[in-house]
Amino acid sequence: MTRSVSRSAVLFLIVSIFILPVLVLPAAAEDGEMVTLRFVPEEGKLFKYKGDSRNQVFYGPYSFETITGQEVEMSLLEVLENGNSRMSVTFTKSSTKMMRMGTLIEQDPRVKPEGRTIKVEVDPRGEVIEALGFIMGVKKGRALDSYMKKWFFKLPEEAVGPGSTWTIPIDKDSPGKDGEVYKVKGLGEFKLKKIEKKNGIMVAEIEGKAEVEVHSENPQGIFDGKAKSNRKIYIALDGGYIVEGENSTEVKGKMISADEYGKETENDVTTVESHKIKLEK
């Protein structure tokens, strides 16, 4: 059986960089107000978000691009005994446009979330603990958890203020089924730039960047590369939810795949991904 590279396998490398469990180590703020950010959504409030994503994959001489737009409605279902929040997240709209070598292609998207509602357990620091539900094209478990994490943000453990910085050690070794291997290692750095009003809401403006090494082994082949990412996000002081945010990641590396006769082929792979999310009034 021929082993070939799929776009989804490469793109999964990108998504995972932003969703790893992390240890946050804040440094003292230089001056100004100190705040403890916690995810505590208001009961009865409906959060409406719009999100846009662009994924570009350059594999050898080929290029692929996927542009996705989504709208979701989010609300608190209940506060659990452990203090976590169970959220209802409904995808009210979703559109996907795919291009190959700059030409629009008529093809159904692999992932179809429109009309689906997912129940997401989120802890007070904004980390997704578990996502329950069904989205066509997304496996249950870790893959679904990862898919939902873009609507939340992992908050610093200690109080922070303008000038506060914290680092994120990233070291994940995750064996999968059928001998799959996924490893990432590196460091992320975040800084609270300022506290201000954004769209009528008092927010903490946070900037971050990360660099990691990525190694993946799966039926599509063996990938080794490096990823760099940048992020800016605005978090509501009261509630700890995302008001607005954007991030970009670039992964560069090599994919080695083998055909049914064991002949190996090595190709350069570059993946560029960007996301934007905004709370609608």
Side-chain angles (χ1 to χ4, degrees):
M1 180 177 178
T2 302
R3 299 169 69 188
S4 60
V5 177
S6 68
R7 267 187 307 167
S8 59
V10 178
L11 291 177
F12 181 75
L13 300 173
I14 297 287
V15 177
S16 301
I17 291 169
F18 287 104
I19 61 173
L20 302 175
V22 297
L23 172 65
V24 181
L25 305 172
E30 297 169 355
D31 52 37
E33 179 185 359
M34 301 291 287
V35 294
T36 301
L37 298 171
R38 289 294 179 266
F39 183 73
V40 187
E42 181 182 342
E43 186 176 359
K45 181 178 176 64
L46 184 65
F47 300 88
K48 294 184 177 183
Y49 285 101
K50 282 189 176 181
D52 295 290
S53 301
R54 181 183 293 266
N55 304 306
Q56 295 174 285
V57 178
F58 303 90
Y59 173 63
Y62 306 103
S63 66
F64 307 89
E65 183 174 9
T66 303
I67 301 171
T68 303
Q70 293 181 337
E71 295 183 22
V72 305
E73 292 184 354
M74 183 189 307
S75 60
L76 175 67
L77 287 177
E78 60 178 326
V79 178
L80 304 177
E81 291 183 359
N82 59 9
N84 293 349
S85 299
R86 176 165 287 142
M87 307 296 294
S88 170
V89 182
T90 299
F91 291 83
T92 56
K93 290 185 180 180
S94 182
S95 62
T96 301
K97 181 168 64 176
M98 294 178 287
M99 305 182 75
R100 181 187 295 120
M101 306 293 288
T103 301
L104 183 67
I105 59 176
E106 296 295 333
Q107 181 178 326
D108 283 340
R110 183 180 62 86
V111 178
K112 298 180 179 180
E114 186 168 329
R116 300 291 181 178
T117 296
I118 307 298
K119 295 180 180 180
V120 186
E121 181 180 345
V122 185
D123 75 8
R125 287 186 53 205
E127 182 174 8
V128 170
I129 305 301
E130 184 180 36
L132 300 174
F134 172 76
I135 292 178
M136 185 177 295
V138 181
K139 293 182 179 180
K140 294 182 179 181
R142 187 182 67 179
L144 183 58
D145 295 347
S146 300
Y147 190 82
M148 301 306 297
K149 287 185 177 182
K150 63 185 174 183
W151 305 103
F152 305 92
F153 181 73
K154 181 76 174 282
L155 303 169
E157 185 173 1
E158 305 294 337
V160 290
S164 290
T165 60
W166 58 97
T167 58
I168 301 175
I170 302 172
D171 190 353
K172 187 175 180 64
D173 187 343
S174 178
K177 297 180 180 179
D178 303 321
E180 292 183 2
V181 175
Y182 179 72
K183 299 179 181 179
V184 291
K185 187 171 184 178
L187 186 68
E189 299 177 346
F190 282 82
K191 182 174 184 177
L192 196 157
K193 300 289 290 185
K194 58 185 175 181
I195 293 175
E196 62 177 358
K197 184 169 285 190
K198 184 78 169 178
N199 301 331
I201 301 170
M202 290 302 299
V203 300
E205 179 186 332
I206 298 172
E207 291 185 354
K209 60 182 180 179
E211 294 189 17
V212 300
E213 295 183 353
V214 182
H215 175 81
S216 174
E217 300 177 20
N218 56 47
Q220 285 74 39
I222 300 173
F223 176 85
D224 282 288
K226 294 184 178 180
K228 294 183 179 181
S229 62
N230 291 284
R231 186 168 194 175
K232 176 181 284 189
I233 195 158
Y234 300 87
I235 299 296
L237 298 187
D238 184 12
Y241 54 88
I242 296 174
V243 173
E244 193 171 315
E246 59 182 80
N247 64 64
S248 61
T249 302
E250 181 181 73
V251 176
K252 288 187 175 182
K254 294 184 180 294
M255 177 74 82
I256 299 176
S257 57
D259 63 20
E260 57 185 337
Y261 304 107
K263 181 180 178 181
E264 293 187 345
T265 302
E266 181 178 281
N267 284 284
D268 291 326
V269 178
T270 298
T271 306
V272 180
E273 181 173 279
S274 62
H275 297 282
K276 292 183 179 180
I277 179 174
K278 184 175 182 180
L279 180 69
E280 298 292 303
K281 288 187 177 181

